[in-house]
């Protein structure tokens, strides 16, 4: 250890430097927050249905099996781009139908295959959840994931 | 034990160990579901079991931190804890919240964000408990001797409470939600918890090695400075792909790479202090855990973190089993080992005994550490293959997972070793039998200096 550094100096560097980096971090957060609202997400298309869909997503703690934008439990497929994977770019209505059919047909009951519970979604919940997944698929994620497999 | 109120720590450590046992047991269940997916799939689905596994971990680590604070603050401040009653009330509140949360989870009562699944009343209970704690220890320190160890520990725990407040903010916009979710999750484990870790480690080294306090405390300030200088902007490595600006790829890559430095400094610090130390403390198991903590944290948080932190690498590995590998060794090395180190050190004093069951305790160290290292390797292999098949070749998620079955079996095996090690550790602390290894004649009948 540098013999020239005293404990008091080390302490002052710690307090001063930490405050410095905290201020920069908070400043960049504010910028990122505005960037999310104005640029990278379609905040104007964040309808009541999309918001309700996020609550459906949370109500069943989907994130403790799936990932969304790469964050979650790695046990079940990525859903940030599931709308794209189901062909939603070319045929949004078809993708919605396929997703809906898939969600209500769980669990598959196939032996040795991971099981998704049946959550007894109402029609409204299905509409909202799918609206949420569609909205999420349009977030500008710097081209992540690398391919449709998620 | 010099101050009667240090005894509070014993109750905290006991509760922490109960939750530790629950955490690893549910970990075993989750690991088993990976190899036998139909297991309990109706009664205890994967998402609920995992929630209990992660939440129990966080709560018992926090209980351990609180216990560590109640143990070491009196010695540092040279006075008793301000209000023992408040400290016990805080523990009861936390345990009611924790058990309420777990029972609720079993009945599907939870909120929906990862790690922050606690119902609102539990979240508010945590805030109240944190305030009780901060009042209690802050008053103790303000009226007593102020040392770097207690300053840094208190700052860390104040940070834990302040950043937890972001858990109460859940906006509808997923990107904004994620930005502040990381204010809790990242800034806890790669920020303020590191302050707690460094402070407790400094206390242990001070006691175990007898190195001069001035030297230890100077190191402590340097390490925690490095932690926050790198860790705050290091949050950027979570802001690559969630809808945040592209500049985070540069900031996150650079600063999170530098996050390795404080962990490396902790390894050097721990080993240098032991080499320089003149004291031959009889609690060898505590020393083993302290050195093991610094070393495994360096590998788990430092090396395994660096492995996938550069944004061009993370583009392919993000959200694969590579992350799971890193998460397990980082938490075990940095925070589990830290708690087990301070418990191993404090238990004999708290129970008024010479260090006991040292051999059993050290065996549990090797069993848990070996198991966790093996688990990390198997998950790293699984993650590497997954990255190639899924992210490079574009194969379907589920078909890739089926090809990883062998690694999940090996991970389950290593999980069994960890659980056995954990139970052995709890047994070694809880059941003081007669095993006390008498210090032998050291080869150095010749004085070391």
């Amino acid at each position: 250890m540098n013999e020239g550094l005293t404990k008091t100096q080390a302490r002052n560097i710690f307090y001063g430097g930490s405050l410095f980096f905290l201020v920069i971090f908070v400043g960049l957060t504010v910028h990122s927050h505005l960037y999310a609202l104005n640029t990278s997400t379609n905040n104007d298309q964040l309808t009541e249905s999309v918001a309700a869909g996020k609550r459906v997503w949370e109500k069943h703690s989907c994130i403790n099996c799936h990932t969304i934008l790469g964050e979650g439990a790695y046990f079940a497929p990525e859903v940030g781009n599931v709308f794209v994977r189901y062909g939603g770019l070319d045929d949004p209505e078809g993708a919605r139908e396929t997703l809906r059919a898939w969600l209500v047909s769980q669990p598959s009951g196939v032996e040795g295959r991971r099981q998704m519970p049946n959550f007894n979604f109402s029609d409204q919940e299905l509409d909202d959840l799918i609206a949420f997944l569609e909205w999420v698929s349009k977030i500008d994620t710097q081209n992540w994931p690398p391919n449709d497999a998620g | 034990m010099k101050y009667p109120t240090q005894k509070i720590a014993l109750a905290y450590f006991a509760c922490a160990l109960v939750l530790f046992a629950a955490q690893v047991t549910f970990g075993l269940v989750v690991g088993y579901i990976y190899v036998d997916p139909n297991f309990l799939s109706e009664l205890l689905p994967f998402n609920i079991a995992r929630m209990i596994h992660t939440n129990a971990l966080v709560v018992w680590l926090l209980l351990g931190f609180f216990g560590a604070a109640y143990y070491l603050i009196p010695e540092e401040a040279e006075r008793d804890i301000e209000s023992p009653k408040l400290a016990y009330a805080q523990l009861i509140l936390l345990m009611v919240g924790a058990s309420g949360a777990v029972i609720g989870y079993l009945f599907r009562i939870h909120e929906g964000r990862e790690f922050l699944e606690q119902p609102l009343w539990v979240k508010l209970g945590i805030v109240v408990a944190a305030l009780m704690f901060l009042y209690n220890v802050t008053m103790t320190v303000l009226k007593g001797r102020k040392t770097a160890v207690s300053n840094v520990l208190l700052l860390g725990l104040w940070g834990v409470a302040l950043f937890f407040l972001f858990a109460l903010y859940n906006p509808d916009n997923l990107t904004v939600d994620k930005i502040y979710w990381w204010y809790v999750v990242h800034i806890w484990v790669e920020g303020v918890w590191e302050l707690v870790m460094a402070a407790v480690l400094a206390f242990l080294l001070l006691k175990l090695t007898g190195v001069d306090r001035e030297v230890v405390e100077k190191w402590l300030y340097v390490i925690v400075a490095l932690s926050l200088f790198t860790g705050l902007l290091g949050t950027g490595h979570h802001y690559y792909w969630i809808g945040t600006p592209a500049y985070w790829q540069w900031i996150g890559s650079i600063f999170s790479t530098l996050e390795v430095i404080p962990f490396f400094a902790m390894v050097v610090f721990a080993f240098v202090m032991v080499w320089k130390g003149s004291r031959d403390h009889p609690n060898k198991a505590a020393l083993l855990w302290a050195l093991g903590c610094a070393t495994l944290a360096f590998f788990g948080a430092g090396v395994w973190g660096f492995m996938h932190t550069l944004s061009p690498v993370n583009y392919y590995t993000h959200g694969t089993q590579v992350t799971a590998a890193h998460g397990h060794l980082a938490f075990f090395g940095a925070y589990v080992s830290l708690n087990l180190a301070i418990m191993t050190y404090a238990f004999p004093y708290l129970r008024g005994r010479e260090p006991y069951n040292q051999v059993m305790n050290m065996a549990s160290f090797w069993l848990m550490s070996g198991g966790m290292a093996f688990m990390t390797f198997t998950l790293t292999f699984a993650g590497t293959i997954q990255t190639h098949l899924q992210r490079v070749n574009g194969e379907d998620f589920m078909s890739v997972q089926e090809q990883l079955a062998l690694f999940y079996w090996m991970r389950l095996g290593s999980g069994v070793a960890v659980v056995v090690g954990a139970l052995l550790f709890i047994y070694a602390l809880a059941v003081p039998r007669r095993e006390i290894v008498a210090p032998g004649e050291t080869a150095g009948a010749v004085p070391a200096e």
Side-chain angles (χ1 to χ4, degrees), chain A residues 54-109:
Chain A
K54 182 166 182 277
R55 289 191 288 275
V56 174
W57 163 262
E58 290 168 357
K59 178 178 164 195
H60 299 295
S61 196
C62 309
I63 201 158
N64 270 301
C65 288
H66 293 274
T67 52
I68 189 164
L69 306 187
E71 291 160 8
Y74 333 123
F75 184 70
E78 164 69 26
V79 298
N81 71 338
V82 70
F83 193 78
V84 176
R85 192 155 65 239
Y86 277 54
L89 290 182
D90 299 324
D91 178 12
E93 199 44 53
R96 287 182 204 119
E97 284 308 312
T98 319
L99 265 171
R100 174 184 283 265
W102 197 87
L103 282 163
V104 297
S105 69
Q106 299 306 309
S108 70

Side-chain angles (χ1 to χ4, degrees), chain A residues 7 29 31 40 64 143 150, chain B residues 50 183 217 243 247 315 390:
Chain A
K7 190 173 94 178
T29 305
H31 176 262
S40 62
N64 270 301
N143 292 321
Chain B
R50 180 181 188 264
Y183 262 57
E217 295 198 327
Y247 56 69
Y315 184 69
Q390 186 185 325

Side-chain angles (χ1 to χ4, degrees), chain A residues 3 10 21 31 48 51-52 66 107 137:
Chain A
E3 295 297 331
F21 283 105
H31 176 262
E48 192 43 55
H66 293 274
S137 75

Side-chain angles (χ1 to χ4, degrees), chain B residues 6 40 42 65 71 100 137 142 144 192 223 231 271 290 296 300 308 374:
Chain B
Q6 284 180 285
L40 296 180
E42 304 279 323
F65 291 166
Y71 182 82
V137 288
L142 283 180
V192 292
I223 288 170
F271 281 87
L296 292 168
H308 59 145
F374 194 87

Side-chain angles (χ1 to χ4, degrees), chain B residues 292-367:
Chain B
C293 168
T295 309
L296 292 168
F298 168 66
F299 281 102
V303 178
W304 254 258
F306 172 70
M307 192 165 67
H308 59 145
T309 204
L310 296 174
S311 68
V313 176
N314 191 262
Y315 184 69
Y316 292 98
T317 59
H318 180 50
T320 64
Q321 294 296 326
V322 173
T323 317
H326 157 63
H328 279 87
L329 194 60
F331 265 94
F332 178 77
Y335 302 121
V336 173
S337 302
L338 180 81
N339 268 309
L340 302 187
I342 183 76
M343 289 182 198
T344 300
Y345 172 78
F347 254 73
Y349 292 114
L350 291 168
R351 307 184 76 179
R353 292 174 161 266
E354 292 297 309
Y356 55 88
N357 292 344
Q358 295 268 292
V359 175
M360 204 188 287
N361 188 315
M362 287 193 261
S364 82
F365 169 86
W366 290 108
L367 204 52

Side-chain angles (χ1 to χ4, degrees), chain A residues 6-18:
Chain A
T6 67
K7 190 173 94 178
T8 314
Q9 285 168 337
R11 188 196 64 196
N12 294 343
I13 291 170
F14 165 59
Y15 285 127
S18 299

